[in-house]
Amino acid sequence: MRSTRLTHENTRTAFVQLNSDACTACWKCIEICPGKVLDKSFLFIGDTLIHEQVLMYDASACTGCLECMQACEFNAIGIKKQ
Ligand code: SF4
Ligand code: SF4
């Protein structure tokens, strides 16, 4: 479990990009990613959870296998636009 500020850099790798608005925090992409690129992110105010989503914490480890994109039922991960 990690907590971080959302930045442009942690929503994409060289191969895929995340649509944060579409992420439902189901965590299927984390389970399937062989490179451990993805991890859970939580935003709390005090003790209250106000937002959770996946983030790409280790973008350099992404191999472009697209397993995460195929696993996401909410189309929150797509091929990175150039
Ligand atoms: S599989 Fe899709 S909806 Fe689920 S955590 Fe990953 S990006 Fe979010
Ligand atoms: S493309 Fe493959 S290596 Fe890259 S984040 Fe998705 S599952 Fe992980």
Side-chain angles (χ1 to χ4, degrees):
M1 180 189 303
R2 305 195 208 187
S3 181
T4 190
R5 253 186 57 218
L6 181 63
T7 69
H8 193 50
E9 284 66 35
N10 54 32
T11 57
R12 64 182 179 175
T13 73
F15 302 100
V16 291
Q17 63 185 40
L18 171 73
N19 176 356
S20 295
D21 292 337
C23 179
T24 64
C26 74
W27 313 134
K28 285 186 179 170
C29 55
I30 297 173
E31 292 163 17
I32 206 160
C33 177
K36 308 298 180 194
V37 175
L38 308 150
D39 204 352
K40 300 172 185 178
S41 175
F42 302 91
L43 180 60
F44 287 90
I45 292 183
D47 293 334
T48 304
L49 176 65
I50 60 167
H51 183 71
E52 58 183 338
Q53 68 168 87
V54 75
L55 284 178
M56 297 163 175
Y57 287 98
D58 190 6
S60 64
C62 177
T63 62
C65 71
L66 305 184
E67 294 281 346
C68 56
M69 189 178 83
Q70 289 160 9
C72 181
E73 298 171 16
F74 304 94
N75 297 319
I77 298 178
I79 293 174
K80 181 176 171 290
K81 296 180 179 68
Q82 297 305 310

